[in-house]
Amino acid sequence: MHANLRWWLPYRFLAGLHFWYPIFFLYFLARLPLVQVLQLEAIYYACVVLLEVPSGWFSDRIGRRPTLLISKAAHVVSALLFAASGEGDFVLLAAAQLFLAAGFAFTSGTDAAFLHDTLQSSAGERYERLEARSSRLGFLASAMAAALGGVCWVVDPRLAYLLTAASSLAAFVLLLKMVEPPRSVRAAAPLKQLKRCLHDMRDAAVWRLVAWWAGMIVLWHIPWEYLQPALKDLSGDAFVGVTAGVHWTFAMLLAAWAAGLGPWLRARFGLSGTLLFSTLFVTILNASLWLAVHHQIMTVVAVALALGRSMPRAAANAPHRAALLSRIGEDRKATMLSLQSLLGRGLFSLTLLLLAVWPDRQDQLAVATGLSLVFLLLAVRFLGRASHLTRVGAERGKSLPR
């Protein structure tokens, strides 16, 4: 297990180097009309949804290391296909999206389970600290990659994908140096595994943690959906790639700082307090974006506020995962995290369909703000009381670990 801990943090840094993040939508638009770009996005999300839970089961059944190796290999292939694509290459781009979706699906939940299993009996607060450091390194890597990705847009956009292929390949090599963490039990058959996960959710703390994260996936994604048009308004077509890269860089640096605060916040305010503070922050952010669209000059304010869009997730990540994984059997950790992610993605898809009912962006953000406020009230109700933010409720057996 020493090899795993030695190489884990460098691996997480390399795994976070996706240089295409700030320019991928622009990259697609340079090759395809908008309709086909949206079709590419639909292909990606459909594949992620289809692979999310099966990949978690595969991790619990076959192993953490093979699952992560498949993930990194898929990212290498995906990046090379993107770089090789040209104008009108819809089929090649669609294939790249398939591999990209597989890469993220096979990573989802397995990375956390790998580290938790590696630490074995010394998990708990040690896991929380290491997960916070891992998350911080991942955000720092994303910040660096975003800065270089914006430059790549000016030099040669394909370079962003070639750099991503190189970093994913390096992460693959580091995984080869690690070993499979020992486990006493493996996942059951798929249907039985699902039944066990649903049984775990009978624990009041587990379903609260899962429901909170799934709901926050919706709230975290709302600012990103409305950010790129604002950046284009500010910088124009010529410099939008550089502007997006700079904005993403600063956003990830703030997220890296927030990730390091997670364990401290949990120790100071309790787990429920940490989650509620994160919920409050993102609610204020979404409300501010709505208020900003009332006046054109407020676009600058909206873009500035969106710099903090990843901070709530970063701060809550380590405390939330430590609390949830401590209550889940070792044979279904990745499956449970995949189910949690799938639930969040499903809720976000429904939210996008709801927002599409209103054609005006101002109305859409007003509805999004209303949803954020409703979720905040539900979080206060189920995660704590106004005067008792560090507990779920007074009933025995329903308190979240502090």
Side-chain angles (χ1 to χ4, degrees):
M1 296 302 101
H2 176 72
N4 288 1
L5 296 178
R6 178 184 179 185
W7 297 112
W8 181 249
L9 292 179
Y11 163 78
R12 284 294 297 268
F13 181 82
L14 289 170
L17 292 175
H18 294 287
F19 297 88
W20 50 265
Y21 266 168
I23 64 169
F24 75 93
F25 199 80
L26 303 171
Y27 189 84
F28 290 169
L29 285 175
R31 284 156 171 72
L32 298 171
L34 179 59
V35 173
Q36 289 188 313
V37 171
L38 295 178
Q39 290 173 350
L40 282 180
E41 289 295 282
I43 290 171
Y44 168 79
Y45 281 107
C47 291
V48 169
V49 168
L50 290 174
L51 292 173
E52 185 73 59
V53 176
S55 64
W57 177 84
F58 182 91
S59 173
D60 287 326
R61 181 81 171 198
I62 306 301
R64 315 296 187 203
R65 185 169 171 268
T67 306
L68 292 176
L69 285 171
I70 291 173
S71 169
K72 292 301 103 185
H75 277 154
V76 172
V77 174
S78 171
L80 292 176
L81 289 176
F82 278 126
S85 67
E87 186 175 353
D89 284 341
F90 178 82
V91 175
L92 191 61
L93 289 168
Q97 288 284 73
L98 289 173
F99 281 100
L100 183 66
F104 281 120
F106 275 77
T107 295
S108 178
T110 298
D111 51 357
F114 183 94
L115 180 59
H116 200 270
D117 288 343
T118 295
L119 294 173
Q120 299 178 37
S121 59
S122 63
E125 291 196 3
R126 189 184 179 198
Y127 167 79
E128 184 181 9
R129 291 194 302 270
L130 275 174
E131 180 62 33
R133 290 179 64 191
S134 299
S135 181
R136 185 178 184 182
L137 275 176
F139 283 117
L140 287 174
S142 188
M144 187 184 81
L148 292 176
V151 175
C152 289
W153 176 256
V154 178
V155 179
D156 187 343
R158 293 174 296 179
L159 185 59
Y161 287 99
L162 291 175
L163 289 173
T164 302
S167 62
S168 297
L169 181 61
F172 183 92
V173 172
L174 286 187
L175 279 171
L176 293 176
K177 295 177 177 292
M178 303 185 207
V179 297
E180 177 70 18
R183 287 183 291 147
S184 58
V185 290
R186 298 278 174 168
L191 291 179
K192 191 174 182 180
Q193 181 82 340
L194 179 60
K195 184 178 179 180
R196 287 179 177 176
C197 288
L198 294 177
H199 184 269
D200 286 333
M201 290 191 192
R202 295 175 62 182
D203 182 329
V206 170
W207 77 256
R208 281 170 166 83
L209 288 167
V210 170
W212 181 84
W213 192 269
M216 288 296 285
I217 286 176
V218 177
L219 270 59
W220 291 327
H221 279 78
I222 287 173
W224 176 247
E225 293 297 316
Y226 295 93
L227 175 61
Q228 290 197 8
L231 290 175
K232 191 173 183 178
D233 292 340
L234 285 177
S235 61
D237 292 334
F239 297 99
V240 64
V242 176
T243 304
V246 171
H247 192 279
W248 187 281
T249 298
F250 282 104
M252 293 301 100
L253 288 174
L254 287 172
W257 173 73
L261 286 180
W264 178 85
L265 288 171
R266 196 270 310 162
R268 178 65 180 84
F269 301 104
L271 178 61
S272 294
T274 303
L275 302 186
L276 285 175
F277 287 145
S278 296
T279 310
L280 177 63
F281 185 97
V282 75
T283 300
I284 293 174
L285 171 59
N286 289 338
S288 299
L289 287 170
W290 168 53
L291 295 174
V293 298
H294 285 78
H295 304 283
Q296 188 173 4
I297 196 172
M298 292 295 289
T299 301
V300 178
V301 177
V303 169
L305 288 170
L307 286 170
R309 66 186 183 273
S310 295
M311 291 177 65
R313 174 168 65 94
N317 179 66
H320 176 274
R321 282 188 167 183
L324 180 60
L325 291 178
S326 67
R327 292 174 171 265
I328 304 299
E330 65 178 12
D331 62 327
R332 51 190 181 277
K333 293 175 185 176
T335 305
M336 178 62 78
L337 291 174
S338 294
L339 284 171
Q340 176 182 260
S341 179
L342 178 62
L343 178 60
R345 294 179 191 277
L347 289 174
F348 183 57
S349 298
L350 292 176
T351 301
L352 290 178
L353 290 175
L354 175 63
L355 295 179
V357 174
W358 291 270
D360 186 69
R361 183 160 61 104
Q362 180 176 325
D363 294 336
Q364 292 173 357
L365 282 169
V367 175
T369 300
L371 293 175
S372 300
L373 289 171
V374 169
F375 186 78
L376 175 62
L377 293 175
L378 290 173
V380 171
R381 167 63 182 83
F382 288 105
L383 291 180
R385 300 173 181 178
S387 59
H388 300 285
L389 296 181
T390 58
R391 64 181 190 176
V392 173
E395 298 85 1
R396 179 177 177 85
K398 292 189 178 182
S399 296
L400 291 176
R402 293 196 58 179

